[in-house]
Amino acid sequence: MADASMDIVSKFDKQEVANAVNTAAKEIANRYDFKGVGASVELVGEVIKMQANSEDRCNAVLDVVQTWLIKRGVSLKHLDVPEAGPRLSGKEYKLDVPLKEGISQENAKKINKLLRDEGPKTVKTQVQGDAIRATSKSRDDLQAVQRLLKESDLDIAVSFTNYR
């Protein structure tokens, strides 16, 4: 029997992100506490751009966006929220939150080490660009790898593709 394999990736559904941002924009336009504060949110390429007339309102817009991303099944680990918070630009506070996907070399090393130390011994891993290919003779071992990665506290959101 051929080896079973899967790819460990960190990707998000772009359509779900767009839907979440559009729904958040509608909620912000209709909510009473956002009236007259110039609050808005939009998705420009791979960046969610938010603005409001105060730092607190800008953080509230971020909270609404995060709520809708969770409801749409998008992990908040895909957001690269700046630690400095909203920046003042003229009279408006702006917050640009880039979306991140892909597994960096540093995170790939962490995942490989985790699988080597705690995963099934029959699983072999290989870094392929921004993904990790895991192969094993047993599909059960690959499912154990999935459980292990979902339960571990990684800096990135992981998903699994090309499961064969």
Side-chain angles (χ1 to χ4, degrees), residues 34-51:
F34 286 116
K35 294 281 188 219
V37 296
S40 67
V41 60
E42 64 179 335
L43 180 65
V44 179
E46 298 273 315
V47 179
I48 300 173
K49 295 184 177 271
M50 295 164 257
Q51 69 180 31

Side-chain angles (χ1 to χ4, degrees), residues 63-139:
D63 188 49
V64 171
V65 170
Q66 288 175 334
T67 301
W68 281 106
L69 286 171
I70 290 170
K71 286 182 181 178
R72 287 297 202 165
V74 178
S75 173
L76 296 182
K77 291 181 180 181
H78 288 298
L79 297 179
D80 191 15
V81 180
E83 289 183 24
R87 68 185 190 288
L88 185 60
S89 175
K91 292 184 176 182
E92 295 283 315
Y93 280 87
K94 296 186 176 188
L95 182 62
D96 296 343
V97 180
L99 296 163
K100 57 184 178 182
E101 73 179 0
I103 300 175
S104 67
Q105 290 297 322
E106 176 185 315
N107 284 324
K109 287 179 184 175
K110 285 181 187 175
I111 291 172
N112 278 337
K113 182 175 181 349
L114 177 71
L115 293 179
R116 215 176 23 250
D117 294 346
E118 298 179 29
K121 299 301 175 204
T122 62
V123 175
K124 304 285 183 255
T125 59
Q126 179 181 12
V127 177
Q128 297 180 334
D130 62 352
I132 299 173
R133 168 76 45 97
T135 56
S136 175
K137 295 235 181 260
S138 167
R139 287 177 176 248

Side-chain angles (χ1 to χ4, degrees), residues 19-30:
N19 289 343
V21 171
N22 289 337
T23 309
K26 287 179 188 172
E27 180 178 330
I28 289 165
N30 292 330

Side-chain angles (χ1 to χ4, degrees), residues 1-2 8 15 55 60 85 94 99 130 136 139 145 149 162:
M1 186 168 107
I8 303 166
Q15 188 61 50
E55 189 172 352
K94 296 186 176 188
L99 296 163
D130 62 352
S136 175
R139 287 177 176 248
V145 165
L149 290 176
N162 294 337

